Amino acid sequence: NTAGAKINNNVITASGPSTGSSPGGIYYWYISNAAPIECNNNKVHNFYYGIYIYYPSGTSTARSQIRNNIVTYDRTSQTPYYGLFIGYPNYTSIMHNTTALGGATYAYTYAGYLYFSSYNQDSLYNNSFACYNSGYAIYGYFPTGYNHRMDFNNLYSSGSTLIYDGAGSFNSLTTLKASAFATGNGNAWANSINYDPGTLTNLGLPNSSSPNCWALNGRALQLPYANKDYNGSSRVTNRANGVPDIGAVEFDPAVAPP
């Protein structure tokens, strides 16, 4: 693959049933140097493998960016495997992405499959990972000692396991926050939440007419380098001006909070 690639602003929809032998929506494989990549503002729908990014790499001053992506699945008779797969990142920022996976019930679907491993300073902020077919919100590996940071995310699963973080499987944020990999990574997940976000699995957008959408509204961290959403709308980056929304899209709820 090309070092320093920019995979931005694509809309990719599977034309027919997608299975394990099918290609993914976006597939990016290993590069041999630290030129940062971008994978931003893409929408991928109904693929068995949504977005697959393997070995994205950057430096402490030029990070790889994976943000404002929307991955969805709503084929009722089939199952996806994972929505957003990021394997072995190094100095990579994963932020403001939305994954909403439906499909037939399958306990081993992963809205996010995130394997941070023994590389440096990867961050996971302001993402919404929702699995509506009984799979995991996240299946990951977040070892300590490498300054990984994970917070201000919304995690939801309709099944019995919310997340696997490499140190164990957890069915709630309370138990996750006590994980050795959470406490050893700067008390990771401290400001994260666990609610059904009401995200539409065909569009990846918050359903603004559902009270559930309040789970995402005004719950994110201000990030100066993420000042636009998937639609190009401005996102709050200064705390004095307000609070941005979790996920790829800024929105206003059209109903009263629950």
Side-chain angles (χ1 to χ4, degrees):
N1 286 311
T2 302
K6 298 183 188 300
I7 312 164
N8 300 330
N9 305 311
N10 299 285
V11 176
I12 307 170
T13 300
S15 59
S18 179
T19 65
S21 61
S22 304
I26 292 175
Y27 193 94
Y28 184 85
W29 189 255
Y30 177 80
I31 59 173
S32 59
N33 61 46
I37 72 163
E38 294 179 6
C39 182
N40 303 329
N41 294 84
N42 299 290
K43 186 174 182 180
V44 176
H45 182 52
N46 272 350
F47 283 89
Y48 186 78
Y49 307 112
I51 295 177
Y52 186 108
I53 306 291
Y54 203 61
Y55 281 101
S57 188
T59 68
S60 59
T61 57
R63 299 173 63 84
S64 283
Q65 303 288 332
I66 300 171
R67 65 173 182 263
N68 291 342
N69 297 291
I70 297 173
V71 183
T72 54
Y73 193 98
D74 70 346
R75 293 187 190 279
T76 57
S77 62
Q78 293 181 294
T79 59
Y81 183 37
Y82 54 71
L84 182 65
F85 178 106
I86 311 294
Y88 300 95
N90 186 38
Y91 291 111
T92 296
S93 296
I94 305 162
M95 52 199 176
H96 282 293
N97 299 286
T98 294
T99 303
L101 302 184
T105 299
Y106 184 54
Y108 300 102
T109 291
Y110 311 112
Y113 194 117
L114 308 165
Y115 199 94
F116 279 16
S117 190
S118 55
Y119 289 92
N120 295 303
Q121 297 181 22
D122 298 306
S123 60
L124 184 73
Y125 283 101
N126 299 349
N127 303 281
S128 179
F129 295 102
C131 203
Y132 292 102
N133 72 343
S134 297
Y136 292 50
I138 291 177
Y139 188 95
Y141 181 60
F142 308 105
T144 60
Y146 305 98
N147 293 314
H148 299 315
R149 293 293 180 263
M150 299 78 69
D151 210 353
F152 293 89
N153 301 287
N154 183 58
L155 311 182
Y156 175 75
S157 169
S158 62
S160 59
T161 303
L162 181 66
I163 180 173
Y164 174 80
D165 76 343
S169 296
F170 305 95
N171 61 8
S172 72
L173 277 177
T174 300
T175 54
L176 170 63
K177 291 173 183 177
S179 164
F181 281 3
T183 58
N185 275 310
N187 293 318
W189 316 104
N191 299 287
S192 294
I193 56 177
N194 169 211
Y195 294 110
D196 177 354
T199 305
L200 299 169
T201 56
N202 61 333
L203 300 175
L205 303 176
N207 182 359
S208 60
S209 64
S210 167
N212 288 27
C213 73
W214 283 92
L216 305 180
N217 186 251
R219 297 296 190 100
L221 178 67
Q222 298 87 350
L223 300 173
Y225 36 84
N227 63 341
K228 299 289 185 181
D229 76 351
Y230 171 84
N231 294 316
S233 299
S234 295
R235 180 181 279 137
V236 174
T237 59
N238 188 319
R239 182 175 295 181
N241 296 329
V243 187
D245 301 333
I246 289 175
V249 176
E250 294 293 304
F251 71 99
D252 294 316
V255 294

PDB file of all heavy atoms in Angstrom, residues 149-177:
ATOM      1  N   ARG A 149      -4.912   5.948  25.171  1.00  0.00           N
ATOM      2  CA  ARG A 149      -5.969   6.692  25.847  1.00  0.00           C
ATOM      3  C   ARG A 149      -7.314   6.390  25.187  1.00  0.00           C
ATOM      4  O   ARG A 149      -7.451   6.514  23.961  1.00  0.00           O
ATOM      5  CB  ARG A 149      -5.679   8.193  25.811  1.00  0.00           C
ATOM      6  CG  ARG A 149      -4.457   8.599  26.634  1.00  0.00           C
ATOM      7  CD  ARG A 149      -4.713   8.377  28.124  1.00  0.00           C
ATOM      8  NE  ARG A 149      -3.576   8.751  28.957  1.00  0.00           N
ATOM      9  CZ  ARG A 149      -2.656   7.896  29.419  1.00  0.00           C
ATOM     10  NH1 ARG A 149      -2.743   6.603  29.106  1.00  0.00           N
ATOM     11  NH2 ARG A 149      -1.678   8.312  30.190  1.00  0.00           N
ATOM     12  N   MET A 150      -8.309   6.029  25.997  1.00  0.00           N
ATOM     13  CA  MET A 150      -9.640   5.685  25.510  1.00  0.00           C
ATOM     14  C   MET A 150     -10.672   6.334  26.417  1.00  0.00           C
ATOM     15  O   MET A 150     -10.722   6.013  27.618  1.00  0.00           O
ATOM     16  CB  MET A 150      -9.847   4.162  25.522  1.00  0.00           C
ATOM     17  CG  MET A 150      -8.898   3.357  24.650  1.00  0.00           C
ATOM     18  SD  MET A 150      -7.243   3.093  25.341  1.00  0.00           S
ATOM     19  CE  MET A 150      -7.601   2.002  26.691  1.00  0.00           C
ATOM     20  N   ASP A 151     -11.467   7.261  25.868  1.00  0.00           N
ATOM     21  CA  ASP A 151     -12.475   7.901  26.709  1.00  0.00           C
ATOM     22  C   ASP A 151     -13.510   8.656  25.872  1.00  0.00           C
ATOM     23  O   ASP A 151     -13.318   8.862  24.670  1.00  0.00           O
ATOM     24  CB  ASP A 151     -11.828   8.860  27.704  1.00  0.00           C
ATOM     25  CG  ASP A 151     -12.641   8.976  28.996  1.00  0.00           C
ATOM     26  OD1 ASP A 151     -13.763   8.430  29.062  1.00  0.00           O
ATOM     27  OD2 ASP A 151     -12.148   9.615  29.942  1.00  0.00           O
ATOM     28  N   PHE A 152     -14.595   9.058  26.541  1.00  0.00           N
ATOM     29  CA  PHE A 152     -15.703   9.806  25.942  1.00  0.00           C
ATOM     30  C   PHE A 152     -16.338   9.052  24.770  1.00  0.00           C
ATOM     31  O   PHE A 152     -16.788   9.652  23.800  1.00  0.00           O
ATOM     32  CB  PHE A 152     -15.243  11.205  25.506  1.00  0.00           C
ATOM     33  CG  PHE A 152     -14.883  12.105  26.645  1.00  0.00           C
ATOM     34  CD1 PHE A 152     -13.593  12.143  27.147  1.00  0.00           C
ATOM     35  CD2 PHE A 152     -15.848  12.911  27.232  1.00  0.00           C
ATOM     36  CE1 PHE A 152     -13.266  12.966  28.217  1.00  0.00           C
ATOM     37  CE2 PHE A 152     -15.529  13.741  28.309  1.00  0.00           C
ATOM     38  CZ  PHE A 152     -14.227  13.770  28.800  1.00  0.00           C
ATOM     39  N   ASN A 153     -16.355   7.733  24.880  1.00  0.00           N
ATOM     40  CA  ASN A 153     -17.009   6.895  23.866  1.00  0.00           C
ATOM     41  C   ASN A 153     -18.341   6.379  24.406  1.00  0.00           C
ATOM     42  O   ASN A 153     -18.532   6.251  25.616  1.00  0.00           O
ATOM     43  CB  ASN A 153     -16.115   5.698  23.515  1.00  0.00           C
ATOM     44  CG  ASN A 153     -14.767   6.129  22.987  1.00  0.00           C
ATOM     45  OD1 ASN A 153     -14.650   6.613  21.861  1.00  0.00           O
ATOM     46  ND2 ASN A 153     -13.716   5.971  23.798  1.00  0.00           N
ATOM     47  N   ASN A 154     -19.273   6.083  23.494  1.00  0.00           N
ATOM     48  CA  ASN A 154     -20.503   5.398  23.866  1.00  0.00           C
ATOM     49  C   ASN A 154     -20.427   3.962  23.371  1.00  0.00           C
ATOM     50  O   ASN A 154     -20.192   3.715  22.180  1.00  0.00           O
ATOM     51  CB  ASN A 154     -21.736   6.076  23.278  1.00  0.00           C
ATOM     52  CG  ASN A 154     -23.011   5.395  23.727  1.00  0.00           C
ATOM     53  OD1 ASN A 154     -23.282   5.297  24.917  1.00  0.00           O
ATOM     54  ND2 ASN A 154     -23.804   4.900  22.781  1.00  0.00           N
ATOM     55  N   LEU A 155     -20.630   3.023  24.276  1.00  0.00           N
ATOM     56  CA  LEU A 155     -20.578   1.606  23.944  1.00  0.00           C
ATOM     57  C   LEU A 155     -21.942   0.999  24.213  1.00  0.00           C
ATOM     58  O   LEU A 155     -22.510   1.175  25.297  1.00  0.00           O
ATOM     59  CB  LEU A 155     -19.532   0.880  24.791  1.00  0.00           C
ATOM     60  CG  LEU A 155     -18.130   1.509  24.889  1.00  0.00           C
ATOM     61  CD1 LEU A 155     -17.227   0.620  25.734  1.00  0.00           C
ATOM     62  CD2 LEU A 155     -17.537   1.730  23.513  1.00  0.00           C
ATOM     63  N   TYR A 156     -22.465   0.252  23.233  1.00  0.00           N
ATOM     64  CA  TYR A 156     -23.759  -0.396  23.426  1.00  0.00           C
ATOM     65  C   TYR A 156     -23.768  -1.766  22.767  1.00  0.00           C
ATOM     66  O   TYR A 156     -23.329  -1.925  21.626  1.00  0.00           O
ATOM     67  CB  TYR A 156     -24.903   0.436  22.852  1.00  0.00           C
ATOM     68  CG  TYR A 156     -26.221  -0.298  22.939  1.00  0.00           C
ATOM     69  CD1 TYR A 156     -26.892  -0.416  24.154  1.00  0.00           C
ATOM     70  CD2 TYR A 156     -26.766  -0.926  21.820  1.00  0.00           C
ATOM     71  CE1 TYR A 156     -28.080  -1.131  24.257  1.00  0.00           C
ATOM     72  CE2 TYR A 156     -27.958  -1.643  21.916  1.00  0.00           C
ATOM     73  CZ  TYR A 156     -28.603  -1.738  23.134  1.00  0.00           C
ATOM     74  OH  TYR A 156     -29.767  -2.454  23.229  1.00  0.00           O
ATOM     75  N   SER A 157     -24.298  -2.743  23.492  1.00  0.00           N
ATOM     76  CA  SER A 157     -24.549  -4.073  22.935  1.00  0.00           C
ATOM     77  C   SER A 157     -25.904  -4.545  23.436  1.00  0.00           C
ATOM     78  O   SER A 157     -26.258  -4.363  24.610  1.00  0.00           O
ATOM     79  CB  SER A 157     -23.470  -5.060  23.376  1.00  0.00           C
ATOM     80  OG  SER A 157     -23.854  -6.387  23.046  1.00  0.00           O
ATOM     81  N   SER A 158     -26.651  -5.173  22.534  1.00  0.00           N
ATOM     82  CA  SER A 158     -27.911  -5.789  22.938  1.00  0.00           C
ATOM     83  C   SER A 158     -27.682  -7.171  23.533  1.00  0.00           C
ATOM     84  O   SER A 158     -28.628  -7.830  23.976  1.00  0.00           O
ATOM     85  CB  SER A 158     -28.849  -5.900  21.734  1.00  0.00           C
ATOM     86  OG  SER A 158     -28.278  -6.739  20.732  1.00  0.00           O
ATOM     87  N   GLY A 159     -26.429  -7.620  23.542  1.00  0.00           N
ATOM     88  CA  GLY A 159     -26.099  -8.940  24.061  1.00  0.00           C
ATOM     89  C   GLY A 159     -25.594  -8.894  25.483  1.00  0.00           C
ATOM     90  O   GLY A 159     -25.704  -7.881  26.187  1.00  0.00           O
ATOM     91  N   SER A 160     -24.960  -9.976  25.923  1.00  0.00           N
ATOM     92  CA  SER A 160     -24.533 -10.111  27.317  1.00  0.00           C
ATOM     93  C   SER A 160     -23.116  -9.606  27.572  1.00  0.00           C
ATOM     94  O   SER A 160     -22.734  -9.417  28.730  1.00  0.00           O
ATOM     95  CB  SER A 160     -24.635 -11.579  27.755  1.00  0.00           C
ATOM     96  OG  SER A 160     -23.821 -12.405  26.929  1.00  0.00           O
ATOM     97  N   THR A 161     -22.316  -9.389  26.524  1.00  0.00           N
ATOM     98  CA  THR A 161     -20.953  -8.895  26.696  1.00  0.00           C
ATOM     99  C   THR A 161     -20.805  -7.554  25.990  1.00  0.00           C
ATOM    100  O   THR A 161     -21.021  -7.453  24.785  1.00  0.00           O
ATOM    101  CB  THR A 161     -19.922  -9.887  26.132  1.00  0.00           C
ATOM    102  OG1 THR A 161     -20.088 -11.164  26.764  1.00  0.00           O
ATOM    103  CG2 THR A 161     -18.505  -9.394  26.401  1.00  0.00           C
ATOM    104  N   LEU A 162     -20.424  -6.546  26.758  1.00  0.00           N
ATOM    105  CA  LEU A 162     -20.259  -5.209  26.200  1.00  0.00           C
ATOM    106  C   LEU A 162     -18.928  -5.065  25.479  1.00  0.00           C
ATOM    107  O   LEU A 162     -18.861  -4.555  24.360  1.00  0.00           O
ATOM    108  CB  LEU A 162     -20.364  -4.169  27.313  1.00  0.00           C
ATOM    109  CG  LEU A 162     -20.246  -2.703  26.906  1.00  0.00           C
ATOM    110  CD1 LEU A 162     -21.429  -2.301  26.029  1.00  0.00           C
ATOM    111  CD2 LEU A 162     -20.167  -1.820  28.155  1.00  0.00           C
ATOM    112  N   ILE A 163     -17.858  -5.521  26.123  1.00  0.00           N
ATOM    113  CA  ILE A 163     -16.518  -5.284  25.593  1.00  0.00           C
ATOM    114  C   ILE A 163     -15.543  -6.328  26.122  1.00  0.00           C
ATOM    115  O   ILE A 163     -15.674  -6.807  27.255  1.00  0.00           O
ATOM    116  CB  ILE A 163     -16.032  -3.858  25.973  1.00  0.00           C
ATOM    117  CG1 ILE A 163     -14.608  -3.574  25.430  1.00  0.00           C
ATOM    118  CG2 ILE A 163     -16.098  -3.626  27.477  1.00  0.00           C
ATOM    119  CD1 ILE A 163     -14.155  -2.132  25.626  1.00  0.00           C
ATOM    120  N   TYR A 164     -14.579  -6.662  25.292  1.00  0.00           N
ATOM    121  CA  TYR A 164     -13.382  -7.392  25.714  1.00  0.00           C
ATOM    122  C   TYR A 164     -12.205  -6.466  25.489  1.00  0.00           C
ATOM    123  O   TYR A 164     -12.050  -5.935  24.384  1.00  0.00           O
ATOM    124  CB  TYR A 164     -13.220  -8.680  24.897  1.00  0.00           C
ATOM    125  CG  TYR A 164     -11.930  -9.420  25.185  1.00  0.00           C
ATOM    126  CD1 TYR A 164     -11.802 -10.228  26.317  1.00  0.00           C
ATOM    127  CD2 TYR A 164     -10.840  -9.288  24.344  1.00  0.00           C
ATOM    128  CE1 TYR A 164     -10.612 -10.894  26.590  1.00  0.00           C
ATOM    129  CE2 TYR A 164      -9.653  -9.948  24.609  1.00  0.00           C
ATOM    130  CZ  TYR A 164      -9.535 -10.753  25.729  1.00  0.00           C
ATOM    131  OH  TYR A 164      -8.361 -11.400  25.993  1.00  0.00           O
ATOM    132  N   ASP A 165     -11.385  -6.222  26.516  1.00  0.00           N
ATOM    133  CA  ASP A 165     -10.304  -5.232  26.388  1.00  0.00           C
ATOM    134  C   ASP A 165      -8.906  -5.836  26.400  1.00  0.00           C
ATOM    135  O   ASP A 165      -7.915  -5.112  26.400  1.00  0.00           O
ATOM    136  CB  ASP A 165     -10.430  -4.155  27.468  1.00  0.00           C
ATOM    137  CG  ASP A 165      -9.977  -4.637  28.845  1.00  0.00           C
ATOM    138  OD1 ASP A 165      -9.868  -5.871  29.057  1.00  0.00           O
ATOM    139  OD2 ASP A 165      -9.739  -3.771  29.720  1.00  0.00           O
ATOM    140  N   GLY A 166      -8.818  -7.156  26.380  1.00  0.00           N
ATOM    141  CA  GLY A 166      -7.532  -7.816  26.418  1.00  0.00           C
ATOM    142  C   GLY A 166      -7.188  -8.344  27.795  1.00  0.00           C
ATOM    143  O   GLY A 166      -6.393  -9.281  27.936  1.00  0.00           O
ATOM    144  N   ALA A 167      -7.777  -7.742  28.825  1.00  0.00           N
ATOM    145  CA  ALA A 167      -7.587  -8.222  30.195  1.00  0.00           C
ATOM    146  C   ALA A 167      -8.780  -9.026  30.673  1.00  0.00           C
ATOM    147  O   ALA A 167      -8.692  -9.738  31.674  1.00  0.00           O
ATOM    148  CB  ALA A 167      -7.332  -7.050  31.136  1.00  0.00           C
ATOM    149  N   GLY A 168      -9.903  -8.903  29.969  1.00  0.00           N
ATOM    150  CA  GLY A 168     -11.090  -9.640  30.344  1.00  0.00           C
ATOM    151  C   GLY A 168     -12.306  -9.196  29.566  1.00  0.00           C
ATOM    152  O   GLY A 168     -12.250  -8.232  28.796  1.00  0.00           O
ATOM    153  N   SER A 169     -13.406  -9.907  29.752  1.00  0.00           N
ATOM    154  CA  SER A 169     -14.687  -9.549  29.143  1.00  0.00           C
ATOM    155  C   SER A 169     -15.550  -8.880  30.201  1.00  0.00           C
ATOM    156  O   SER A 169     -15.579  -9.307  31.357  1.00  0.00           O
ATOM    157  CB  SER A 169     -15.398 -10.794  28.604  1.00  0.00           C
ATOM    158  OG  SER A 169     -14.648 -11.396  27.565  1.00  0.00           O
ATOM    159  N   PHE A 170     -16.309  -7.852  29.778  1.00  0.00           N
ATOM    160  CA  PHE A 170     -17.068  -7.064  30.731  1.00  0.00           C
ATOM    161  C   PHE A 170     -18.459  -6.776  30.177  1.00  0.00           C
ATOM    162  O   PHE A 170     -18.612  -6.491  28.994  1.00  0.00           O
ATOM    163  CB  PHE A 170     -16.338  -5.750  31.033  1.00  0.00           C
ATOM    164  CG  PHE A 170     -14.927  -5.967  31.498  1.00  0.00           C
ATOM    165  CD1 PHE A 170     -13.862  -5.914  30.597  1.00  0.00           C
ATOM    166  CD2 PHE A 170     -14.655  -6.271  32.829  1.00  0.00           C
ATOM    167  CE1 PHE A 170     -12.562  -6.143  31.024  1.00  0.00           C
ATOM    168  CE2 PHE A 170     -13.357  -6.511  33.253  1.00  0.00           C
ATOM    169  CZ  PHE A 170     -12.305  -6.444  32.352  1.00  0.00           C
ATOM    170  N   ASN A 171     -19.449  -6.815  31.072  1.00  0.00           N
ATOM    171  CA  ASN A 171     -20.821  -6.580  30.650  1.00  0.00           C
ATOM    172  C   ASN A 171     -21.336  -5.219  31.081  1.00  0.00           C
ATOM    173  O   ASN A 171     -22.509  -4.903  30.886  1.00  0.00           O
ATOM    174  CB  ASN A 171     -21.750  -7.684  31.166  1.00  0.00           C
ATOM    175  CG  ASN A 171     -21.778  -7.755  32.691  1.00  0.00           C
ATOM    176  OD1 ASN A 171     -21.221  -6.906  33.375  1.00  0.00           O
ATOM    177  ND2 ASN A 171     -22.417  -8.794  33.215  1.00  0.00           N
ATOM    178  N   SER A 172     -20.450  -4.393  31.668  1.00  0.00           N
ATOM    179  CA  SER A 172     -20.838  -3.050  32.075  1.00  0.00           C
ATOM    180  C   SER A 172     -19.618  -2.149  32.112  1.00  0.00           C
ATOM    181  O   SER A 172     -18.473  -2.626  32.210  1.00  0.00           O
ATOM    182  CB  SER A 172     -21.492  -3.068  33.458  1.00  0.00           C
ATOM    183  OG  SER A 172     -20.520  -3.310  34.463  1.00  0.00           O
ATOM    184  N   LEU A 173     -19.855  -0.850  32.062  1.00  0.00           N
ATOM    185  CA  LEU A 173     -18.756   0.101  32.183  1.00  0.00           C
ATOM    186  C   LEU A 173     -18.156   0.090  33.583  1.00  0.00           C
ATOM    187  O   LEU A 173     -16.960   0.328  33.759  1.00  0.00           O
ATOM    188  CB  LEU A 173     -19.235   1.513  31.831  1.00  0.00           C
ATOM    189  CG  LEU A 173     -19.274   1.871  30.353  1.00  0.00           C
ATOM    190  CD1 LEU A 173     -19.829   3.275  30.168  1.00  0.00           C
ATOM    191  CD2 LEU A 173     -17.883   1.791  29.724  1.00  0.00           C
ATOM    192  N   THR A 174     -18.970  -0.182  34.572  1.00  0.00           N
ATOM    193  CA  THR A 174     -18.462  -0.226  35.942  1.00  0.00           C
ATOM    194  C   THR A 174     -17.377  -1.271  36.087  1.00  0.00           C
ATOM    195  O   THR A 174     -16.302  -0.998  36.649  1.00  0.00           O
ATOM    196  CB  THR A 174     -19.605  -0.523  36.928  1.00  0.00           C
ATOM    197  OG1 THR A 174     -20.591   0.508  36.826  1.00  0.00           O
ATOM    198  CG2 THR A 174     -19.088  -0.580  38.353  1.00  0.00           C
ATOM    199  N   THR A 175     -17.621  -2.460  35.569  1.00  0.00           N
ATOM    200  CA  THR A 175     -16.609  -3.508  35.661  1.00  0.00           C
ATOM    201  C   THR A 175     -15.444  -3.233  34.716  1.00  0.00           C
ATOM    202  O   THR A 175     -14.294  -3.527  35.039  1.00  0.00           O
ATOM    203  CB  THR A 175     -17.219  -4.882  35.372  1.00  0.00           C
ATOM    204  OG1 THR A 175     -17.905  -4.849  34.104  1.00  0.00           O
ATOM    205  CG2 THR A 175     -18.212  -5.272  36.459  1.00  0.00           C
ATOM    206  N   LEU A 176     -15.720  -2.642  33.558  1.00  0.00           N
ATOM    207  CA  LEU A 176     -14.651  -2.311  32.617  1.00  0.00           C
ATOM    208  C   LEU A 176     -13.666  -1.324  33.231  1.00  0.00           C
ATOM    209  O   LEU A 176     -12.447  -1.462  33.089  1.00  0.00           O
ATOM    210  CB  LEU A 176     -15.240  -1.718  31.335  1.00  0.00           C
ATOM    211  CG  LEU A 176     -14.243  -1.107  30.342  1.00  0.00           C
ATOM    212  CD1 LEU A 176     -13.288  -2.166  29.812  1.00  0.00           C
ATOM    213  CD2 LEU A 176     -14.983  -0.422  29.194  1.00  0.00           C
ATOM    214  N   LYS A 177     -14.177  -0.321  33.928  1.00  0.00           N
ATOM    215  CA  LYS A 177     -13.309   0.716  34.504  1.00  0.00           C
ATOM    216  C   LYS A 177     -12.367   0.160  35.576  1.00  0.00           C
ATOM    217  O   LYS A 177     -11.352   0.775  35.888  1.00  0.00           O
ATOM    218  CB  LYS A 177     -14.158   1.837  35.083  1.00  0.00           C
ATOM    219  CG  LYS A 177     -14.881   2.664  34.032  1.00  0.00           C
ATOM    220  CD  LYS A 177     -15.838   3.659  34.659  1.00  0.00           C
ATOM    221  CE  LYS A 177     -16.614   4.419  33.611  1.00  0.00           C
ATOM    222  NZ  LYS A 177     -17.613   5.350  34.202  1.00  0.00           N
TER     223      LYS A 177
END
